[in-house]
């Protein structure tokens, strides 16, 4: 928590500049302190709130103010007016839709000698060249999933700096961090660890036209397990314990995956990695959100919502996509097949996660079979009637779901391989709760 006044000083300076020196620093310091420490608002929103509050009567915003210049590693995700001098590591034009209208933006990765950051230029569609150095002026930053993003809005501009040469520090150059497997997230860079290989098998892939053998498997310790890919032959076999130095992490849909690449060393060791759990790892939603996703995870929570797309649904027999009517977006006119599914929101007290429950478990959980569901919907003349009945059967029930969790822009989602009802002893729970209430009096 930010509670010391000193921590605020750079932000007060920044606000002072953003408001063109028209609001005394003492006032800004007090405002910031109130918003952050009294109201508990995040630093970023507090700062933009203050600018809106004091800037509203004049020309709102940050134009004219020079802003501070920072290195990428110094960015905090709360800057409202910052200049970054960086090389275009990657740049592309993208067509997006804003409020129904098509718009072109420019996005990519910018890098300097301290690190790299993704950027988006919202305001113009000029041409930028990969490998050239630019000054990103009057930019603002945001933090999304622990990553700082640089944004250049309509007030910002990006100018070429011919005279500046920069060596970009990429994540490959950073020293590996020693970690337990369970601590690895989709934002982890280079990592060193010790673990037991619980699964490994060779695979043939084609890299730049040449066939190459790689090894894929699972490595585990007492904190968790992770999928790995070994890009060289490290002589791996089942059930050996290895010391891995300088592996790197890449995430696929939020699921972190470990890579033993060019720079990695893998050696056998007799180190104790604790007890490696063979079954699924039990996690809280909070833990999953922090990591981004994972394989073979189980979560116990309460069904707090059953969302649209649940109950009796129709699928394309060729691609299994859910369809409305008799049209598949890929296969055109088809004869759909009926299926059952629940799209549930599960809350375990640390957070909520979206869970897809497939036919067999949906039948078990709701006590309604596909045949019954078909009959019922025919009776009612309505597909949704089934969803309502199913919702009533599962809402506020406690369940344990097991499966892989992946993340996209809507957050983490599990497709449950298995769903089990947890029998709650209502009397015992009530007694426990009563005891806790009494103890707190
Ligand atoms: Zn289809």
């Amino acid at each position: 928590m930010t509670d010391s006044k000193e921590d605020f000083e750079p932000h007060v300076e920044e606000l002072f500049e953003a408001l063109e020196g028209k609001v005394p620093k003492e006032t800004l310091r007090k405002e910031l302190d109130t918003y952050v420490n009294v109201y508990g608002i995040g630093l970023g929103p507090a700062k933009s709130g203050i600018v809106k509050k004091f800037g509203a009567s004049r020309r709102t915003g940050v134009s004219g103010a020079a802003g501070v210049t920072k290195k990428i590693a110094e960015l905090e995700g709360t800057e409202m007016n910052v200049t970054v001098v960086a090389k275009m590591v990657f740049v592309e034009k993208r067509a997006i839709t804003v409020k129904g209208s098509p718009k072109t933006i420019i996005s990519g990765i910018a890098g300097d000698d301290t690190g790299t950051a993704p950027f988006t230029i919202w305001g113009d569609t000029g041409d930028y060249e990969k490998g050239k150095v630019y000054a990103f002026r009057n930019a603002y930053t945001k933090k999304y999933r622990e990553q700082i993003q640089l944004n250049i809005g309509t007030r910002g501009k990006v100018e070429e700096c011919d005279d500046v040469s920069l060596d970009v520090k990429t994540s490959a150059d950073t020293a590996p961090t020693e970690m337990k497997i369970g601590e690895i997230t989709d934002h982890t860079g280079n990592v060193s660890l010790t673990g037991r290989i619980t699964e490994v098998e060779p695979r043939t892939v084609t890299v730049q036209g040449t066939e190459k053998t790689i090894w894929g498997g699972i490595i585990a310790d007492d904190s968790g397990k992770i999928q790995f890919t070994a890009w060289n032959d490290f002589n791996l076999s089942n059930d050996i314990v290895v010391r891995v130095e300088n592996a790197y992490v890449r995430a696929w849909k939020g699921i972190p995956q470990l890579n033993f690449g060019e720079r990695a060393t893998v050696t056998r060791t007799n180190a104790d990695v604790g007890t490696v759990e063979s079954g699924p790892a039990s996690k809280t939603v909070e833990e999953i959100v922090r990591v981004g996703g994972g394989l073979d995870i189980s979560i116990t929570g309460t069904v707090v919502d059953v969302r649209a797309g649940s109950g009796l649904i129709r699928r394309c027999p060729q691609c299994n996509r859910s369809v409305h009517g008799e049209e598949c977006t890929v296969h055109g006119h088809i004869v759909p097949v009926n299926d059952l599914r629940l799209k549930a929101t599960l809350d375990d007290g640390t957070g909520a996660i979206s869970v897809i429950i497939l036919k067999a478990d949906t039948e078990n959980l709701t006590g309604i079979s596909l045949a019954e569901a078909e009959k019922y919907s025919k009776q009612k003349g309505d597909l949704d009637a089934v969803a309502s009945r199913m919702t009533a059967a599962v809402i506020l029930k406690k369940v344990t779901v097991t499966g892989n969790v992946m993340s996209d822009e809507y957050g983490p989602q599990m497709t449950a391989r298995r769903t089990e009802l947890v029998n709650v002893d209502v009397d015992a729970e009530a007694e426990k709760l009563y005891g806790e209430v009494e103890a707190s009096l």
Side-chain angles (χ1 to χ4, degrees):
M1 206 165 122
T2 313
D3 55 8
S4 112
K5 284 221 163 67
E6 281 76 8
D7 291 344
F8 282 157
E9 278 322 296
H11 303 294
V12 170
E13 288 296 327
E14 212 183 309
L15 282 168
F16 187 71
E17 279 176 39
L19 291 161
E20 297 170 307
K22 285 168 187 159
V23 181
K25 285 182 190 173
E26 187 49 42
T27 309
L28 296 170
R29 204 171 288 131
K30 219 182 257 173
E31 287 280 327
L32 203 55
D33 183 54
T34 307
Y35 280 121
V36 174
N37 291 328
V38 182
Y39 300 155
I41 295 171
L43 202 49
K47 282 163 69 181
S48 35
I50 292 166
V51 168
K52 275 197 196 114
K53 186 173 167 182
F54 291 101
S57 56
R58 22 191 118 82
R59 212 154 43 89
T60 315
V62 294
S63 61
V68 285
T69 299
K70 287 190 178 181
K71 291 283 192 187
I72 285 174
E74 293 170 336
L75 298 172
E76 293 171 66
T78 58
E79 286 83 4
M80 292 180 305
N81 183 18
V82 66
T83 295
V84 173
V85 176
K87 194 181 266 184
M88 291 286 183
V89 175
F90 171 72
V91 58
E92 64 172 0
K93 281 189 185 177
R94 279 170 51 196
I96 57 163
T97 307
V98 179
K99 287 175 188 160
S101 320
K103 186 177 160 66
T104 304
I105 59 166
I106 295 167
S107 70
I109 308 227
D112 66 12
D113 52 353
T114 68
T116 58
F119 71 84
T120 304
I121 304 171
W122 301 93
D124 80 292
T125 55
D127 288 310
Y128 301 96
E129 237 177 88
K130 185 180 157 179
K132 278 194 176 168
V133 175
Y134 293 87
F136 296 76
R137 297 194 195 281
N138 302 107
Y140 61 96
T141 63
K142 286 193 168 165
K143 199 172 186 178
Y144 176 69
R145 296 173 64 101
E146 298 305 307
Q147 187 166 46
I148 307 288
Q149 302 180 325
L150 196 59
N151 290 279
I152 298 86
T154 48
R155 292 186 206 96
K157 56 176 181 283
V158 180
E159 294 168 338
E160 202 179 320
C161 304
D162 294 325
D163 48 342
V164 183
S165 72
L166 259 182
D167 285 322
V168 175
K169 180 182 177 179
T170 64
S171 58
D173 302 326
T174 53
T177 315
E178 179 70 35
M179 280 181 136
K180 296 285 277 185
I181 289 170
E183 295 168 347
I184 295 171
T185 76
D186 56 346
H187 301 297
T188 302
N190 298 336
V191 62
S192 295
L193 53 87
T194 305
R196 184 182 296 277
I197 306 285
T198 63
E199 265 180 62
V200 59
E201 58 182 41
R203 258 199 344 258
T204 307
V205 294
T206 308
V207 181
Q208 291 167 342
T210 331
E211 283 210 338
K212 185 176 161 61
T213 303
I214 60 170
W215 285 260
I218 299 205
I219 183 166
D221 65 13
D222 56 357
S223 70
K225 56 185 151 189
I226 190 167
Q227 266 185 325
F228 71 83
T229 301
W231 295 89
N232 291 309
D233 189 357
F234 292 107
N235 209 5
L236 300 174
S237 60
N238 252 333
D239 218 32
I240 61 168
V241 174
V242 288
R243 171 72 191 157
V244 182
E245 305 264 2
N246 212 1
Y248 64 92
V249 174
R250 288 284 177 275
W252 180 73
K253 292 194 172 187
I255 301 181
Q257 300 180 325
L258 203 57
N259 289 271
F260 309 160
E262 290 287 302
R263 297 159 193 254
T265 59
V266 181
T267 41
R268 276 190 81 148
T269 160
N270 292 318
D272 182 12
V273 291
T275 310
V276 172
E277 283 193 40
S278 56
S282 177
K283 302 254 182 197
T284 64
V285 173
E286 191 181 28
E287 285 167 335
I288 292 161
V289 169
R290 197 171 61 229
V291 171
L295 297 173
D296 205 16
I297 284 173
S298 77
I299 311 163
T300 298
T302 305
V303 177
V304 293
D305 193 17
V306 175
R307 302 192 311 280
S310 298
L312 186 58
I313 59 160
R314 294 192 163 121
R315 289 190 190 278
C316 166
Q318 284 166 67
C319 65
N320 217 32
R321 279 184 179 79
S322 77
V323 294
H324 292 286
E326 299 187 336
E327 286 293 315
C328 170
T329 50
V330 176
H331 297 103
H333 185 81
I334 45 114
V335 180
V337 290
N338 286 336
D339 194 13
L340 291 179
R341 168 178 76 181
L342 288 176
K343 282 181 150 181
T345 305
L346 200 67
D347 193 313
D348 74 346
T350 71
I353 188 168
S354 169
V355 182
I356 308 277
I357 299 170
L358 303 176
K359 181 172 150 250
D361 283 326
T362 298
E363 288 179 321
N364 283 337
L365 225 51
T366 60
I368 302 164
S369 68
L370 178 57
E372 270 177 78
E374 285 167 336
K375 207 171 115 196
Y376 189 68
S377 92
K378 214 171 268 172
Q379 255 172 34
K380 297 276 170 183
D382 182 8
L383 275 181
D384 291 339
V386 175
S388 309
R389 251 184 81 184
M390 287 188 162
T391 303
V394 298
I395 198 87
L396 297 180
K397 289 264 167 73
K398 200 168 181 182
V399 295
T400 298
V401 290
T402 305
N404 300 338
V405 179
M406 296 183 190
S407 289
D408 58 18
E409 63 266 42
Y410 304 108
Q413 174 173 290
M414 173 191 283
T415 300
R417 193 179 67 235
R418 190 169 72 231
T419 307
E420 291 156 313
L421 202 58
V422 178
N423 282 319
V424 182
D425 184 338
V426 179
D427 290 341
E429 285 272 303
E431 202 163 301
K432 183 169 158 257
L433 190 66
Y434 185 70
E436 279 167 11
V437 171
E438 225 172 30
S440 69
L441 290 177

